[in-house]
Amino acid sequence: MGTGRRGRARGGVGRASGGDEVKVIDAAQPAVGEAGDASVSPGAGRGVNERQRHARSAPSAHPGMAAAHGPVAPSSPEQNGAVPSEATKKDQNLKRGNWGNQIEFVLTSVGYAVGLGNVWRFPYLCYRNGGGAFMFPYFIMLIFCGIPLFFMELSFGQFASQGCLGVWRISPMFKGVGYGMMVVSTYIGIYYNVVICIAFYYFFSSMTHVLPWAYCNNPWNTPDCTGVLDASNLTNGSRPATLPSNLSHLLNHSLQRTSPSEEYWRRYVLKLSDDIGNFGEVRMPLLGCLGVSWVVVFLCLIRGVKSSGKVVYFTATFPYVVLTILFVRGVTLEGAFTGIMYYLTPQWDKILEAKVWGDAASQIFYSLGCAWGGLITMASYNKFHNNCYRDSIIISITNCATSVYAGFVIFSILGFMANHLGVDVSRVADHGPGLAFVAYPEALTLLPISPLWSLLFFFMLILLGLGTQFCLLETLVTAIVDEVGNEWILKKKTYVTLGVAVAGFLLGIPLTSQAGIYWLLLMDNYAASFSLVVISCIMCVSIMYIYGHRNYFQDIQMMLGFPPPLFFQICWRFVSPAIIFFILIFTVIQYQPITYNHYQYPGWAVAIGFLMALSSVICIPLYALFQLGRTDGDTLLQRLKNATKPSRDWGPALLEHRTGRYAPTIPASPEDGLEVQPLHPDKAQIPMVGSNGSSRLQDSRI
C-alpha cells in the first residue's frame, strides 16, 4: 500500500475504486513510536487520535520488505529508552507485573551478574594467566561474546514477557533448553546459598574484640599452627629467651605452614571429614545460618520483583562502598604496591597460549550468568519498549569493571601480607573458598581494628551472594508460574516462592555436614560447567537458524524501534556461537578430575558430578522427542517442521503490542458487524464497508 493510501486508511475514511465512501478499519494502533507492522486493532475506526495516527507510519515486519527498506528512522523517544507517559501506562503488564522503574532492573541485573566469582576467581585467573596481559583476551571475549549473548537473552525475555520456559513458544521443540536452565539454576541456587550461609557465620564470628582465627591458642589448633601474628611477635622480640628455637620452628614449617585461619576453617567451622562419603554430623551453626539465608532471600522476594526491586538499591550498591573502603585501606599498607604489580604486570608471552584465551572466554561466559535463565527472567518484567540494548552494554561493562576493581582490593591486602611474612605474593594468593575464608581473613588480622574490616568484607560477600541468589530463586518461581499461567497461581505466587525456598533449604542441609564442602565444590565444578556452554550454543542456533535471524531482527526492531546493530547481527549468527563452541572444546581438553587441596575425589563422586552436568543437557533431546511425538504430521519431516515453528501465542504479551504478523483475530464488534482478520506477512486484506452496506476486501502490500 502506498504512502497516500496508508494515510487515508489511517484517517478512517477513504474512497473505494468504485467511488463508494467506505469506512476503513484502522491498520494499526501501536504504542507511541513503536516500530511494528500495521495491524488491526480493537479500537480501530473509533475516531480516537485520528490525526496523530495519520501522521505516523509503521514499517513492515515482513522479512523481505525489512531487508529492502533497511533500518527504520526513529519516530519517538522510545528508541533511546524514554517512553511517553501514555505509552508507559499502556506498556504496563498489570497481570504479571513490571519493574517499578528501569533503575531497579539495571541494579538487579548488576547484582545478578556481579557475584562471588568477581572477587574470588577473576583476580586469581588474572595473575595466573599473565597479569595485565590477561586483560587483552578478557575484553576481546567481552566484546565478541559476552555483550552479544547478554543482549540476546535480555531481548529474548523482554519481547515475550515470559520466563525461561515461556519464551520457547518461539520454537516449542527446544523448550528443553528452558528446562535445562531451570535445572542449572536449581543446582546453583542450592549450593550458592550455602556459601552465603558460611559468609553469615564468619560475619557473626567477627563480632568480637579479637578474631577467632587470629592466634594459634584455641582448642582446635594443632602444634603445626603458625600464625602471622605469632611471627610478628617473634620478630618484635616479645619472647627473646626462646627466639632461636621458635624461629627455627617457623622456618622449618614455612613451606607447609598451617595458618590459624586455615585450621579455623577446616577444624572448627567445617569440622571437615576425611572423605566425601563420610557425612558425619550436620554442623548446627551452619544449618542455622542457612536458615537465616533462605529467610532473607524469601522476605526480599515475597512480592516478586516489586519487593526485590526495592532491596537491590542497597544490595547492589553497598558492595561498591565496601570495595572502595577496603581499596583505600589496602593501598595505604606497606607492600600493597608489590601485590598490585604482581596482579597487573603483563607477561606478554602467555598471550599466545590457548589456555589463557580459554580462561578469558570461560570467565566472561560464567561471570555474566549466560544460560542460567536469570537474564531472560529479569528482562521479562521490563516494559515492552525498554531499551535493553543500552542496558546490556551498561551491565556487562559494569560487571567486568567490578572484577578488575576487586583485583586491586584483593592483591593490595595480599601484597601487604606477603611483605609481612617475607615471602612471594604467589605463596599467599588463592582463589575460591580458600581466598574468601582462609587467605583474606588471615590478612585482615594484621590490620588495626581487624574485626571491623572483617565485618565489612563478609558483609560485602553476603550482599554479592544475595544479589545472585535473588535472581536464581525468581527464575525458578517465574518459570513455574508462567508455565501454569492461570489466575490462581498468579495470586498464590508468594506461596510458590515459599515452597521453592523451603525445598532449597532442605536440599542444602547435606552441604552443611562435615563432608558438605566436598559436595559444594563437586556441584560448583560439574553442575554449571560445560552444560551451560551446550545450552547457550543451542539457544543461539535455535533463535538464529531455526526461528530465523531476519524474524528475530524484526522482533527487536518492533520492540526497540531500531534493528540490532550490524555488529551484533554478525556476532549472533557467526562469532558468538563459534566462541561458545571454542569454550566447549577448551573445557573438554583442559578437563582434570576434581580435587580439594590434597584430597582426590573417588570415581563414584566424579560420576555423580557428570550425571549432574548431563541432567540439565539431557532435558533438551528428551523434550524434543516428546514434542515430536505430540505434534501433528504425516511424516517425520512434517512433524519436525511443525514442532520447530513458533506457536500461535508466541509474540508480545500485551494485545496493543501484537501488531503486524502478531495481530490476533479479533471478533467483530456489535457496532460494525465486521470480522477482523490478522494480517498475512505477504499480503494484508483490510475489511472495508461500503455505504450500501456491502463489504469488500482491500488488498494492501505491507
Side-chain angles (χ1 to χ4, degrees):
M1 181 166 63
T3 306
R5 292 169 64 187
R6 181 185 303 165
R8 286 194 296 274
R10 298 253 175 145
V13 178
R15 291 280 177 182
S17 57
D20 295 333
E21 183 178 358
V22 295
K23 296 179 182 178
V24 184
I25 293 183
D26 185 20
Q29 195 178 357
V32 178
E34 176 182 318
D37 296 344
S39 71
V40 181
S41 169
R46 306 285 187 241
V48 181
N49 295 331
E50 296 296 336
R51 294 176 183 173
Q52 294 180 8
R53 290 203 300 270
H54 179 80
R56 293 196 301 263
S57 61
S60 166
H62 188 267
M65 293 303 292
H69 290 295
V72 178
S75 59
S76 84
E78 278 179 10
Q79 298 173 33
N80 297 320
V83 183
S85 57
E86 184 179 351
T88 302
K89 293 178 181 178
K90 292 182 179 179
D91 255 358
Q92 290 179 352
N93 192 330
L94 299 178
K95 179 180 178 182
R96 193 170 181 273
N98 293 111
W99 296 106
N101 56 62
Q102 213 45 42
I103 296 177
E104 292 181 7
F105 166 69
V106 172
L107 289 178
T108 301
S109 299
V110 167
Y112 172 66
V114 176
L116 298 173
N118 297 70
V119 174
W120 75 20
R121 178 169 167 80
F122 173 82
Y124 176 82
L125 280 180
C126 191
Y127 102 83
R128 192 184 71 179
N129 288 306
F134 181 71
M135 302 289 184
F136 179 73
Y138 182 72
F139 283 104
I140 289 292
M141 292 301 175
L142 169 67
I143 293 170
F144 287 96
C145 182
I147 296 178
L149 288 177
F150 206 91
F151 180 29
M152 173 181 281
E153 292 201 29
L154 291 190
S155 59
F156 195 22
Q158 180 174 308
F159 182 79
S161 297
Q162 290 288 312
C164 61
L165 290 182
V167 290
W168 289 103
R169 296 168 182 171
I170 192 174
S171 187
M173 196 178 85
F174 290 96
K175 191 175 182 179
V177 174
Y179 283 108
M181 291 177 174
M182 282 189 68
V183 172
V184 169
S185 291
T186 301
Y187 286 139
I188 299 174
I190 291 170
Y191 77 77
Y192 214 84
N193 228 16
V194 175
V195 177
I196 298 173
C197 94
I198 298 174
F200 264 115
Y201 183 82
Y202 270 80
F203 177 76
F204 295 139
S205 300
S206 301
M207 297 178 179
T208 179
H209 293 295
V210 179
L211 292 174
W213 57 85
Y215 295 99
C216 291
N217 57 356
N218 301 290
W220 57 82
N221 291 128
T222 65
D224 293 331
C225 177
T226 306
V228 291
L229 292 178
D230 297 328
S232 176
N233 290 337
L234 291 175
T235 56
N236 289 334
S238 59
R239 291 181 289 177
T242 57
L243 182 61
S245 61
N246 281 335
L247 273 179
S248 175
H249 178 78
L250 176 62
L251 293 174
N252 289 336
H253 289 80
S254 61
L255 294 178
Q256 295 179 348
R257 61 181 290 270
T258 304
S259 66
S261 62
E262 183 177 354
E263 292 197 349
Y264 179 77
W265 164 248
R266 293 169 63 91
R267 298 174 59 84
Y268 183 75
V269 177
L270 301 178
K271 288 191 176 178
L272 190 65
S273 66
D274 57 354
D275 186 72
I276 188 173
N278 182 12
F279 283 91
E281 64 180 12
V282 172
R283 298 287 294 122
M284 296 309 294
L286 293 182
L287 183 63
C289 290
L290 181 63
V292 171
S293 301
W294 277 110
V295 168
V296 170
V297 172
F298 169 69
L299 291 178
C300 292
L301 289 173
I302 193 167
R303 294 181 58 237
V305 296
K306 294 296 184 184
S307 55
S308 66
K310 304 299 182 290
V311 175
V312 294
Y313 281 104
F314 178 73
T315 61
T317 56
F318 194 73
Y320 291 96
V321 176
V322 178
L323 277 175
T324 303
I325 294 173
L326 293 174
F327 172 72
V328 172
R329 184 68 186 98
V331 295
T332 60
L333 298 171
E334 185 180 359
F337 182 74
T338 304
I340 292 174
M341 290 307 297
Y342 198 88
Y343 166 57
L344 289 180
T345 301
Q347 302 173 36
W348 294 109
D349 56 312
K350 288 197 172 186
I351 206 171
L352 299 177
E353 298 178 12
K355 187 177 186 304
V356 174
W357 289 84
D359 280 344
S362 300
Q363 176 63 15
I364 283 290
F365 186 84
Y366 296 127
S367 175
L368 290 175
C370 298
W372 291 17
L375 298 177
I376 294 174
T377 302
M378 295 303 104
S380 71
Y381 292 102
N382 278 335
K383 294 181 174 66
F384 184 73
H385 293 292
N386 170 62
N387 192 340
C388 58
Y389 166 66
R390 170 203 59 200
D391 295 341
S392 63
I393 295 176
I394 293 173
I395 297 165
S396 301
I397 293 177
T398 301
N399 172 70
C400 295
T402 304
S403 297
V404 176
Y405 187 39
F408 286 94
V409 176
I410 297 298
F411 273 90
S412 61
I413 298 289
L414 294 183
F416 164 66
M417 180 179 174
N419 178 76
H420 182 86
L421 293 174
V423 299
D424 192 69
V425 178
S426 60
R427 292 277 305 282
V428 297
D430 203 348
H431 69 290
L435 172 67
F437 302 118
V438 178
Y440 205 83
E442 182 181 17
L444 293 177
T445 61
L446 298 172
L447 300 177
I449 327 176
S450 55
L452 172 63
W453 306 112
S454 182
L455 283 170
L456 285 174
F457 176 70
F458 288 111
F459 190 53
M460 178 189 70
L461 289 186
I462 291 169
L463 295 182
L464 288 174
L466 287 176
T468 302
Q469 189 68 19
F470 291 159
C471 297
L472 290 170
L473 184 60
E474 186 62 40
T475 297
L476 299 175
V477 172
T478 298
I480 295 170
V481 171
D482 286 348
E483 186 67 7
V484 177
N486 56 36
E487 293 289 340
W488 179 85
I489 200 166
L490 286 171
K491 294 178 180 178
K492 303 295 183 181
K493 185 177 178 180
T494 300
Y495 296 102
V496 177
T497 306
L498 177 62
V500 174
V502 170
F505 170 74
L506 295 176
L507 292 171
I509 291 178
L511 302 186
T512 62
S513 68
Q514 290 179 257
I517 192 66
Y518 296 125
W519 289 99
L520 189 151
L521 293 175
L522 185 73
M523 296 177 72
D524 185 45
N525 276 269
Y526 289 95
S529 57
F530 75 89
S531 55
L532 286 177
V533 184
V534 174
I535 289 171
S536 186
C537 189
I538 294 177
M539 183 181 70
C540 275
V541 171
S542 60
I543 294 176
M544 289 294 105
Y545 296 99
I546 305 300
Y547 178 62
H549 63 277
R550 288 191 179 90
N551 290 331
Y552 195 68
F553 297 161
Q554 290 163 17
D555 291 342
I556 292 180
Q557 180 168 343
M558 173 182 173
M559 179 173 64
L560 301 183
F562 56 90
L566 181 62
F567 171 79
F568 285 88
Q569 297 183 21
I570 295 173
C571 284
W572 285 347
R573 295 181 62 193
F574 308 111
V575 181
S576 296
I579 293 177
I580 295 172
F581 186 72
F582 163 72
I583 298 174
L584 179 61
I585 299 299
F586 170 79
T587 305
V588 173
I589 293 175
Q590 293 291 324
Y591 170 76
Q592 292 180 345
I594 182 176
T595 60
Y596 177 56
N597 292 338
H598 301 292
Y599 174 74
Q600 188 77 35
Y601 278 68
W604 62 267
V606 175
I608 290 177
F610 276 111
L611 288 176
M612 284 192 292
L614 289 174
S615 63
S616 55
V617 176
I618 200 68
C619 295
I620 301 173
L622 287 181
Y623 191 87
L625 292 174
F626 169 73
Q627 186 67 23
L628 279 175
R630 62 195 291 237
T631 303
D632 296 331
D634 297 329
T635 64
L636 178 61
L637 182 61
Q638 197 172 21
R639 285 172 176 261
L640 195 62
K641 289 181 178 179
N642 291 335
T644 54
K645 70 181 182 182
S647 61
R648 291 185 176 182
D649 51 355
W650 161 249
L654 299 183
L655 185 63
E656 54 264 33
H657 299 142
R658 296 185 72 89
T659 59
R661 56 187 177 166
Y662 296 108
T665 302
I666 302 172
S669 68
E671 300 177 13
D672 49 33
L674 293 177
E675 180 181 358
V676 182
Q677 301 289 343
L679 295 180
H680 189 275
D682 295 320
K683 179 184 286 190
Q685 294 181 312
I686 301 180
M688 308 174 72
V689 181
S691 56
N692 57 2
S694 62
S695 64
R696 63 187 71 189
L697 292 174
Q698 172 74 28
D699 290 347
S700 64
R701 291 285 178 184
I702 303 302

